[in-house]
Amino acid sequence: MTELIERAAAADTPAVELSMQQAINRALRVLLAEDPDVLVFGEDVGALGGVFRVTDGLQEEFGDKRVFDTPLAESAIMGMAVGLAMNGWRPVPELQFDGFAYPAIDQIVNQVARMNYRTRGAAPMPITLRLPSFGGIQAPEHHGESLEALFAHTPGLKVVAPSDPGDAYSLMLQAVRSDDPVVYMEPKARYWDRRPVRLREPSDPIGTSRIVRPGRHATLVAWGAMVQRCVQVAELAAEDGVDLEVLDLRWLKPLDAEGLAASVSRTRRAVVVHEAPLTAGLGAEVAALVTEHCFRDLSAPVQRVTGFDVPYPAGPLEPQYLPTIDRVLLAVQRTLEY
Amino acid sequence: MPPHTSAGRESITVDHLSPDLTRALYRHMRTARDLDTEAIALQRQGVFPAYVSVRGQEAAQVASASAMDPARDFVFPTYREMAAALAYGVEMVGYMATHRALWHGGLYDVAASRFGAVNAVVGGPVPHAVGWAVGERLRGDDGVALAYFGDGASSEGDVHEAMNFAGVFGAPVVFFCQNNQWALSVPNERQVAGGSVSARAAGYGFPGVLVDGNDAGAVYEATAEAVARARRGEGPTLVEALTYRVEPHSTSDDPGRYRDEAEVRRWRERDPLTLLRAALLAAGHADEAHLAEVDARARREAERVRDGVATAPEPDGSELFTHVFRENTKELARQRRTWQEEVEL
Ligand SMILES: Cc1ncc(C[n+]2csc(CCOP(=O)(O)OP(=O)(O)O)c2C)c(N)n1
Ligand SMILES: [Mg+2]
């Protein structure tokens, strides 16, 4: 275990082939090993290792007092996290799927998010809620929701959504070590994507975005699984001589207004892409920030390519709901031709 | 008292029921079993993205649904009620459509079937049954609502709140818990404090009954009694049918990670269909020739549903927008045009 920590800390760790689900698992192992107050719990996280195997082997390694199954009740899972935090623990609960965070919204919004404020700092909530999120896997109903706007709109919560295994690892370390509550949204569609990863200690402060692909003609802004889609778009556009920058916001609260502004001031054009429905989605926040910070530099209004204002649909309709490559390309064309 | 740990096959009796009824129970259970087998095959062939088996729970589902009256009652299912739907008379191609992911709630007519939409939120529909039942009393009608839920669902706040409401309002509702002893990877002893779901009814002031969920005759009797009580205006009942999930939680699950196959094998041997078949013969309600004929009919029906769902058309993309509102908004109409221009091919 300590060996893992040392390897993670070394700046030039060799790359290992890992999926995001494995990378998060590695991060949780590091956290459980380094801090005896870290507790991992939720539905089916023990023997099963979670439905996505993110907690695979953790109970075996750290015992069923540190890693345990709860009964099936999301509100109680989050309420228990509050009590554990008040008793000095560092809870890392999992809610099995995005749609099943809704039964726990009362505890998350009314309790987790504002306990530190209510108690004037006497009862901090160092809770990291792990939430398999977003769509793209043609799952049953309530298994493909995008709740980031709801969480980002809740004062007192920090919200992060990694887009690749390496980042997922560092961001998990950062989230759990933070003394504030963090909602850590894991893009299900990216769980199994394996790639060479360097396991790195977090280096950027919380709330820092990341340029995944530098470009000159427009900035594509995304998070979670849509980052990869934007990279695909950028590669296609490059064939036509259009050079797109892809900005991975990562942190949706606090949102990196400076990083966003720096990119868009250079490219003068922005397209924001998210899976969540259009209306009152985070794309609106991004557009507002760009307008506030880059008004004089803009060559075109910010374009939004998002899910539609409809409940997340069943399998065959999913590809027509999620932002397609064509829709993003059309938005790029609109902003370039404006 | 039903056995929590199965010692394998023993016998049940249906002597207390009419031959017509027990033959119908057998026919539905047989059809459900065959359709379940077809559904697992469809998942393996890639026609269904996933499937949740009802194998081993046919008695609990068919016998309870058969105690309800589809002309005046209302059933609130979870995602694992295929055999109940079938016995209740739901149009099964439309029901199975949910497993092909053609439409989340299924494509049957919920209002006409008096059978709620397939619902994946564990515990979520249980308060709906209470609301529906209270609505019957307010209007002076005599319909009864039945809510299915699992042992895992019994932990959800919604389920406890629903039971308290039902007790307070004296609602004509049957809470039907299929305790299949597993909630995904979590066994009863780590789920149900106190060890009994049915015992909880006492705290809410109405009767709780524990019944052998693999004994179709016992399930029918217990449910029929609960329904009759509710219909007489005597309020709710909680029926806990003890059974076993012999299949993985879903086709995506890997139960080797968390449970002992020997226990599963013992429960497979205590098959509700085999038990009922033997009981029918023993009671003289049917002979081998009749049962062979029923088996053949069940096969054909399962194949008909299989072919129907496998060849059903996929919904058109425009259906994304059709049922969001009853009165559409300008903004949604605008987004539909965006979809037409940018997505529809
Ligand atoms: C509110 C909610 N939380 C979690 C889930 C994920 N999930 C689906 S089924 C299941 C186990 C349910 O167990 P039980 O209620 O016993 O029903 P069974 O599957 O055994 O029929 C879980 C955890 C869900 N669908 N809904
Ligand atoms: Mg169960």
Side-chain angles (χ1 to χ4, degrees), chain A residues 53 80 268 333:
Chain A
R53 308 292 183 262
M80 185 162 90
R268 298 174 169 271
Q333 196 181 339

Side-chain angles (χ1 to χ4, degrees), chain B residues 281-295:
Chain B
L281 292 168
H285 289 184
D287 56 20
E288 288 286 0
H290 172 84
L291 293 179
E293 149 114 37
V294 173
D295 289 352

Side-chain angles (χ1 to χ4, degrees), chain B residues 272-287:
Chain B
L273 205 52
T274 317
L275 291 176
L276 180 60
R277 189 184 178 101
L280 277 180
L281 292 168
H285 289 184
D287 56 20

Side-chain angles (χ1 to χ4, degrees), chain B residues 150-152 178-184 245:
Chain B
D151 45 295
Q178 284 175 83
N179 183 348
N180 61 11
Q181 306 196 40
W182 290 93
L184 222 173
R245 198 199 75 214

Side-chain angles (χ1 to χ4, degrees), chain A residues 307-331:
Chain A
F308 299 107
D309 288 359
V310 309
Y312 198 88
L317 296 187
E318 178 178 84
Q320 304 195 45
Y321 168 88
L322 291 174
T324 58
I325 289 177
D326 284 352
R327 282 181 68 204
V328 183
L329 282 170
L330 283 167

Side-chain angles (χ1 to χ4, degrees), chain A residues 287-321:
Chain A
L289 287 170
V290 168
T291 312
E292 280 168 27
H293 293 272
C294 315
F295 188 68
R296 285 172 201 286
D297 297 324
L298 282 179
S299 298
V302 178
Q303 298 283 325
R304 290 181 286 171
V305 184
T306 70
F308 299 107
D309 288 359
V310 309
Y312 198 88
L317 296 187
E318 178 178 84
Q320 304 195 45
Y321 168 88

Side-chain angles (χ1 to χ4, degrees), chain B:
Chain B
M1 277 273 278
H4 265 273
T5 52
S6 167
R9 176 201 288 257
E10 356 84 35
S11 62
I12 62 165
T13 172
V14 291
D15 290 352
H16 57 300
L17 300 175
S18 82
D20 281 350
L21 174 66
T22 57
R23 285 199 295 258
L25 293 178
Y26 179 80
R27 178 163 50 86
H28 292 319
M29 284 167 59
R30 181 78 252 172
T31 312
R33 172 65 57 86
D34 288 346
L35 185 52
D36 196 74
T37 306
E38 294 293 353
I40 292 171
L42 285 177
Q43 192 277 330
R44 303 240 155 93
Q45 293 156 25
V47 179
F48 287 179
Y51 178 67
V52 282
S53 174
V54 302
R55 193 183 174 99
Q57 297 180 215
E58 295 93 344
Q61 295 194 9
V62 166
S64 55
S66 299
M68 296 286 284
D69 178 356
R72 56 179 161 167
D73 295 336
F74 210 106
V75 171
F76 291 83
T78 71
Y79 46 85
R80 201 194 292 285
E81 257 70 73
M82 182 271 275
L86 189 147
Y88 196 67
V90 174
E91 191 274 293
M92 289 310 285
V93 173
Y95 180 89
M96 296 306 276
T98 188
H99 296 300
R100 219 188 110 197
L102 294 180
W103 199 256
H104 282 318
L107 286 170
Y108 54 96
D109 181 336
V110 162
S113 315
R114 304 175 78 80
F115 192 91
V118 172
N119 199 311
V121 184
V122 166
V126 179
H128 307 172
V130 177
W132 191 93
V134 167
E136 283 294 282
R137 293 226 75 80
L138 287 176
R139 208 189 295 103
D141 289 344
D142 67 352
V144 173
L146 184 146
Y148 285 109
F149 62 102
D151 45 295
S154 77
S155 299
E156 287 280 7
D158 268 8
V159 173
H160 291 268
E161 293 170 26
M163 289 190 191
N164 188 49
F165 268 51
V168 165
F169 289 108
V173 56
V174 180
F175 297 100
F176 194 93
C177 178
Q178 284 175 83
N179 183 348
N180 61 11
Q181 306 196 40
W182 290 93
L184 222 173
S185 73
V186 179
N188 264 193
E189 57 270 24
R190 311 241 2 109
Q191 185 75 250
V192 184
S196 166
V197 175
S198 53
R200 290 173 181 177
Y204 298 118
F206 51 83
V209 189
L210 178 64
V211 65
D212 180 352
N214 286 20
D215 179 340
V219 171
Y220 181 85
E221 198 181 19
T223 316
E225 208 172 297
V227 171
R229 242 191 113 245
R231 211 165 323 273
R232 287 195 303 268
E234 293 165 24
T237 305
L238 167 56
V239 179
E240 176 183 3
L242 189 77
T243 176
Y244 197 87
R245 198 199 75 214
V246 295
E247 287 288 312
H249 172 72
S250 75
T251 48
S252 320
D253 184 28
D254 176 11
R257 296 175 75 94
Y258 57 80
R259 75 178 182 183
D260 172 22
E261 271 309 304
E263 178 180 294
V264 180
R265 267 198 306 279
R266 283 197 301 280
W267 277 96
R268 272 187 189 276
E269 277 168 36
R270 203 167 172 280
D271 187 295
L273 205 52
T274 317
L275 291 176
L276 180 60
R277 189 184 178 101
L280 277 180
L281 292 168
H285 289 184
D287 56 20
E288 288 286 0
H290 172 84
L291 293 179
E293 149 114 37
V294 173
D295 289 352
R297 265 176 63 197
R299 263 258 41 87
R300 287 196 297 276
E301 172 62 4
E303 284 164 7
R304 183 191 69 79
V305 175
R306 174 200 66 194
D307 294 345
V309 70
T311 57
E314 288 193 352
D316 186 75
S318 63
E319 297 224 28
L320 282 170
F321 302 92
T322 313
H323 296 293
V324 180
F325 294 116
R326 311 283 294 205
E327 297 163 26
N328 208 10
T329 63
K330 269 191 211 155
E331 171 57 19
L332 200 56
R334 191 194 64 73
Q335 291 188 23
R336 190 180 191 279
R337 283 195 300 278
T338 301
W339 167 80
Q340 264 169 336
E341 289 159 15
E342 300 186 0
V343 182
E344 193 186 19
L345 299 173

